[in-house]
């Protein structure tokens, strides 16, 4: 009996390559992926730790980790949550823009069941600033897809903001952004205290007046914008380098994240050039 010539679902995923990674997410389930592939997809996703610096970076299989974590999201593979959260550490350690941009969306596909894991990660000070901000983005993605989980997420984020005095102002601003987005009026006094203490990064989402307007507590600002964070400030003074691929973050955070991403991309390009140079010498 002749063996089937149709590649396995995993083999098809390995062949998708860079073009499919950079475009809209394909329907990975159409490849035939199902629950039995979750362990292998999780293993592939974790290879992102090594694929960036692998000599085969230009080969389609090097992009398999990205396709794997997307497929895990479409499969609602909650069992992969802890493994994928571990990859968020690359956001700070390696300037990894792929993980910070895409994994929150994967967590959003997992839904409310991953809220406890995201909350635990967010509260853990061993993780870097931008990784923790990405965890907040993951909570926001969950809230986008599940209205019933929104109150739990607001409560979780409010509880984290209570630590504003000991947290980075950027993280506080990230938390406030989520609370303001979901009109968390009960959290307004806490938000005001964080601003009054000077513990909120104004470039992230503006000042307390902005927050009041966005919460619906005021119709408009009472005072004009002042300083480098004003919306009409010169581009150079804001260190703003263009629109980010992360639509859920306001311009201040986008600028800071883009700076981190640019450094990471530069390192990867330099490593790639070095590998190509070494191959030519051989």
């Amino acid at each position: 009996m002749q063996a089937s010539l149709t590649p396995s679902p995993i083999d098809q995923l390995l062949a998708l390559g860079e073009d499919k990674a950079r475009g809209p997410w394909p329907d990975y389930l159409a490849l035939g992926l199902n629950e039995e592939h979750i362990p292998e997809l999780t293993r592939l996703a974790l290879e992102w730790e090594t694929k960036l610096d692998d000599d085969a970076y230009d080969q389609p299989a090097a992009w398999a980790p990205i396709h794997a974590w997307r497929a895990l999201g479409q499969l609602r593979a909650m069992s992969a949550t802890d493994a994928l959260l571990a990859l968020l550490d690359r956001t700070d350690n390696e300037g990894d823009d792929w993980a910070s941009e895409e994994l929150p969306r994967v967590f959003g596909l997992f839904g409310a069941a991953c809220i406890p894991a995201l909350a635990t990660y967010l509260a853990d000070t061993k993780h870097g600033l931008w990784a923790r901000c990405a965890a907040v983005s993951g909570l926001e993605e969950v809230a986008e897809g599940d209205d019933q989980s929104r109150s739990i997420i607001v409560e979780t984020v409010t509880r984290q903001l209570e630590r504003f005095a000991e947290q980075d102002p950027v993280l506080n601003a990230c938390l406030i952004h989520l609370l303001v987005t979901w009109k968390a009026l009960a959290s307004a006094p806490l938000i005001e205290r964080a601003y009054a203490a000077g513990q909120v990064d104004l470039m992230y989402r503006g000042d307390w007046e902005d927050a009041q307007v966005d919460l619906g507590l005021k119709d408009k600002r009472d005072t004009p914008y002042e300083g480098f964070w004003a919306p009409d400030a010169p581009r150079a003074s804001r260190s703003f380098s263009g629109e980010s691929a992360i639509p859920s973050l306001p311009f201040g955070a986008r600028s800071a994240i883009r700076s981190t991403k640019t450094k990471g991309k530069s390192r990867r390009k330099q490593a790639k050039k070095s590998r190509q140079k070494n191959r030519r010498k051989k």
Side-chain angles (χ1 to χ4, degrees):
M1 183 176 178
Q2 186 176 6
S4 172
L5 297 178
T6 303
S8 71
I10 293 294
D11 287 339
Q12 293 180 63
L13 181 142
L14 290 170
L16 290 175
E18 181 177 0
D19 289 344
K20 292 294 185 181
R22 296 192 180 279
W25 290 20
D27 178 3
Y28 293 96
L29 305 191
L31 301 177
L33 293 167
N34 55 47
E35 290 185 0
E36 72 179 41
H37 297 106
I38 289 175
E40 178 66 8
L41 290 170
T42 303
R43 184 191 67 77
L44 283 172
L46 290 177
E47 287 187 359
W48 191 240
E49 294 281 3
T50 57
K51 288 295 187 183
L52 286 178
D53 298 318
D54 194 278
D55 286 338
Y57 182 71
D58 294 327
Q59 301 302 313
W63 296 87
I66 294 173
H67 297 300
W69 69 47
R70 292 176 178 180
L72 288 167
Q74 292 181 4
L75 284 167
R76 309 297 195 267
M78 263 296 301
S79 61
T81 301
D82 289 342
L84 297 183
L85 277 171
L87 289 177
L88 280 184
D89 289 331
R90 291 185 59 87
T91 305
D92 295 272
N93 298 340
E94 305 294 337
D96 190 340
D97 50 325
W98 283 98
S100 64
E101 290 182 14
E102 296 220 358
L103 291 180
R105 184 174 171 186
V106 173
F107 298 134
L109 291 173
F110 286 170
C114 72
I115 292 175
L118 286 168
T120 299
Y121 187 97
L122 169 62
D124 191 342
T125 58
K126 294 195 299 292
H127 301 299
L129 169 63
W130 296 111
R132 295 172 77 190
C133 285
V136 178
S137 295
L139 290 169
E140 186 172 3
E141 290 283 351
V142 173
E144 286 277 5
D146 181 6
D147 293 346
Q148 294 183 343
S149 70
R150 201 166 295 169
S151 60
I152 299 173
I153 291 171
V154 165
E155 180 181 348
T156 298
V157 171
T158 299
R159 189 163 55 247
Q160 187 66 42
L161 183 61
E162 290 172 353
R163 306 179 187 179
F164 68 80
E166 61 197 62
Q167 294 180 155
D168 191 292
V170 171
L171 179 59
N172 291 332
C174 184
L175 298 167
I176 288 171
H177 174 65
L178 185 148
L179 295 173
V180 168
T181 297
W182 301 120
K183 310 295 183 187
L185 296 178
S187 303
L190 175 61
I191 294 172
E192 182 179 14
R193 292 201 301 275
Y195 272 111
Q199 283 295 108
V200 184
D201 188 305
L202 300 184
M203 277 196 69
Y204 194 111
R205 68 153 338 278
D207 62 3
W208 169 231
E209 278 199 84
D210 285 324
Q212 291 178 84
V213 172
D214 292 339
L215 284 167
L217 298 175
K218 300 178 71 168
D219 291 333
K220 61 181 181 178
R221 294 181 59 89
D222 294 327
T223 61
Y225 284 107
E226 295 181 358
F228 68 92
W229 60 277
D232 57 352
R235 180 179 294 260
S237 69
R238 293 197 319 235
S239 297
F240 181 61
S241 55
E243 287 298 319
S244 166
I246 309 181
S248 63
L249 299 182
F251 75 81
R254 293 174 184 172
S255 178
I257 287 179
R258 179 172 289 277
S259 176
T260 301
K261 292 175 185 174
T262 300
K263 293 176 183 177
K265 288 179 178 177
S266 177
R267 285 196 296 268
R268 292 197 291 274
K269 287 180 180 178
Q270 289 173 1
K272 181 178 177 181
K273 288 180 179 179
S274 177
R275 289 195 299 271
Q276 291 173 339
K277 183 178 180 180
N278 290 337
R279 282 197 290 267
R280 284 196 295 269
K281 286 181 178 180
K282 292 177 181 179

